[in-house]
């Protein structure tokens, strides 16, 4: 049977029950006073679906309070459909496609997709490269950064007008982490690397100057630093075949195909959420034993405490 035939994708009561089972594993909890033992479900004819009342603070609530669903008028079943579509689409799904598929306005689809991306943001602060593992580091450029080159100004050559992304991939855990950066100076990148990578790790990069010039001193900050010379056609070290950045290049290939082919344009202030989306799917991919349903469930468990309003999103 198709997963899209599941009752919670079509029935509103079933949708609320499914979300409650994922977010309230030990029963309902009042988001106002954190009480869990003096709560009753309201069942009047005019009562909204999924409404509970806390008899400690006397306030009503639903599972939506304190999540990305709060104050949304879109039915919960459509939220679950959108979550599944976004989490299961390898390169993403556009707001136009969600608008057509779910039967909601394109403005609602755009806002909904950004709130879902916000839920995809990882709260894991585990350092990469534990036990002396390998961590690949590389940067890429995407779109145009209008905060540095406003519309109408000459673009010029080079990459100054581009959005800059720094990504890390831990070969042992097979996890990726991406950050939007203002520039590629070593003074900007080094603190980020030190905050995300263990000192005992082996750092693997290309021959970019910010990593290999005599001022960067990567060997001083990490156990070892290996790099390949892409400019000379070397993509795997001839001395040590484990020295390469092919894993992270593969991650970038998925990211760029999605950004250029599906989303086509991304403003600088929204790029962090798009990166969270691609990091999330990469870190919860089929190759790691996570199927589409498991990935959607994990995304659903991440909606708490990540409310995003239309006023603050821009």
């Amino acid at each position: 049977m198709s997963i899209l035939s599941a009752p919670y994708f079509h029935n509103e009561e079933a949708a609320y029950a499914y979300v409650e089972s994922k977010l309230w594993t030990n029963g309902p909890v009042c988001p106002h006073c954190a009480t869990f033992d003096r709560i009753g479900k309201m069942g009047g004819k005019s009562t909204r679906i999924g409404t509970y009342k806390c008899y400690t603070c006397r306030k009503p609530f639903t599972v939506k309070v304190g999540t990305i669903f709060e104050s949304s008028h879109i039915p919960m079943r459509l939220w679950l459909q959108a979550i599944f579509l976004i989490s299961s689409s390898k390169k993403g799904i556009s707001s136009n496609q969600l608008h057509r598929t779910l039967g909601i306005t394109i403005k609602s689809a755009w806002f909904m997709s950004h709130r879902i991306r916000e839920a995809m943001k990882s709260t894991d602060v585990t350092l990469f490269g534990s036990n002396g593992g390998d961590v690949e580091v590389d940067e890429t450029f995407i779109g145009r950064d209008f905060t540095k080159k406003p519309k109408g100004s000459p673009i010029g050559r080079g990459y100054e007008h581009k959005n800059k992304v720094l990504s890390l991939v831990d070969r042992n855990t097979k996890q990726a982490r991406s950050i939007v950066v203002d520039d590629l100076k070593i003074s900007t990148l080094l603190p980020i690397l030190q905050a995300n990578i263990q000192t005992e790790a082996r750092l693997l990069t290309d021959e970019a100057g910010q990593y290999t010039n005599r001022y960067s001193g990567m060997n001083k900050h990490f156990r070892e630093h290996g790099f390949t010379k892409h400019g000379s056609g070397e993509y795997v070290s001839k001395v040590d075949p484990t020295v390469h950045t092919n894993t992270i290049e593969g991650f970038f290939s998925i990211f760029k195909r999605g950004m250029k082919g599906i989303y086509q344009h991304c403003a600088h202030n929204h790029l962090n959420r798009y990166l969270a989306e691609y990091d999330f799917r990469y870190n919860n991919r089929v190759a790691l034993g996570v199927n589409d349903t498991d990935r959607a469930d994990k995304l659903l468990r991440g909606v708490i405490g990540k409310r995003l309003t239309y006023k603050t999103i821009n």
Side-chain angles (χ1 to χ4, degrees):
M1 184 179 72
S2 168
I3 181 62
L4 296 176
S5 299
Y8 53 83
F9 284 136
H10 306 281
N11 180 274
E12 196 67 3
E13 290 188 4
Y16 270 88
Y18 186 78
V19 174
E20 289 171 7
S21 70
K22 299 300 178 183
L23 303 189
W24 293 338
T25 53
N26 297 314
V29 179
C30 176
H32 306 294
C33 66
T35 297
F36 58 87
D37 54 347
R38 299 189 63 205
I39 292 174
K41 189 166 187 178
M42 301 176 70
K45 289 184 178 179
S46 61
T47 303
R48 293 171 297 166
I49 295 174
T51 303
Y52 292 78
K53 184 171 183 179
C54 174
Y55 291 97
T56 299
C57 67
R58 314 295 295 180
K59 293 180 180 178
F61 64 91
T62 69
V63 71
K64 294 164 63 174
V65 177
T67 72
I68 65 171
F69 309 127
E70 186 170 350
S71 299
S72 172
H73 297 289
I74 297 173
M76 185 64 79
R77 64 185 185 277
L78 295 187
W79 271 105
L80 294 180
Q81 289 177 33
I83 285 174
F84 184 82
L85 290 171
I86 289 177
S87 62
S88 62
S89 302
K90 186 172 183 177
K91 297 180 181 67
I93 181 169
S94 69
S95 299
N96 262 303
Q97 186 65 57
L98 280 179
H99 144 68
R100 293 192 299 269
T101 302
L102 302 181
I104 58 178
T105 66
I106 190 167
K107 184 177 179 180
S108 294
W110 180 86
F111 187 28
M112 172 188 267
S113 61
H114 273 291
R115 283 194 276 186
I116 292 173
R117 290 185 192 102
E118 188 71 18
M120 287 174 154
K121 285 186 176 179
S122 175
T123 56
D124 185 8
V125 293
T126 305
L127 297 183
F128 282 10
S130 58
N131 301 318
D134 293 342
V135 180
E136 295 183 26
V137 178
D138 202 3
E139 64 286 324
T140 193
F141 310 100
I142 190 78
R144 179 177 175 180
D145 184 356
F146 286 98
T147 63
K148 293 192 174 183
K149 292 281 187 176
K151 190 173 182 179
S153 63
I155 294 177
R157 300 179 65 182
Y159 55 78
E160 183 59 28
H161 63 287
K162 295 281 188 178
N163 291 307
K164 302 159 191 71
V165 175
L166 176 72
S167 291
L168 325 171
V169 170
D170 189 321
R171 281 192 190 168
N172 289 347
T173 61
K174 297 177 173 57
Q175 299 292 290
R177 188 174 296 167
S178 303
I179 306 107
V180 181
V181 294
D182 292 328
D183 56 64
L184 301 181
K185 298 175 182 177
I186 189 60
S187 58
T188 300
L189 301 186
L190 184 56
I192 296 173
L193 298 181
Q194 290 177 312
N196 288 278
I197 303 175
Q198 295 274 10
T199 55
E200 73 238 33
R202 180 172 71 155
L203 196 69
L204 302 173
T205 70
D206 55 22
E207 79 278 29
Q210 59 266 27
Y211 306 119
T212 58
N213 67 41
R214 61 192 179 92
Y215 299 108
S216 62
M218 290 299 172
N219 285 322
K220 298 178 182 178
H221 304 289
F222 303 101
R223 173 177 61 86
E224 187 181 340
H225 175 215
F227 62 91
T228 52
K229 298 178 180 179
H230 289 180
S232 302
E234 181 189 52
Y235 294 94
V236 177
S237 172
K238 297 176 182 177
V239 178
D240 183 355
T242 63
V243 176
H244 61 78
T245 57
N246 292 342
T247 312
I248 200 166
E249 296 290 356
F251 169 76
F252 283 149
S253 73
I254 298 171
F255 169 65
K256 287 206 167 184
R257 285 190 181 107
M259 292 302 293
K260 293 180 179 180
I262 304 297
Y263 298 125
Q264 300 180 21
H265 169 75
C266 171
H268 181 79
N269 56 314
H270 299 312
L271 183 55
N272 65 93
R273 284 186 290 273
Y274 284 98
L275 288 172
E277 175 186 352
Y278 285 92
D279 281 352
F280 177 84
R281 280 197 298 264
Y282 185 85
N283 296 340
N284 297 280
R285 56 194 186 276
V286 173
L288 298 181
V290 183
N291 61 32
D292 291 343
T293 303
D294 294 337
R295 193 180 309 110
D297 285 346
K298 185 172 181 177
L299 196 167
L300 182 58
R301 288 191 291 270
V303 302
I304 300 174
K306 296 178 180 176
R307 189 186 176 194
L308 195 66
T309 64
Y310 201 84
K311 185 177 181 179
T312 59
I313 195 174
N314 293 302

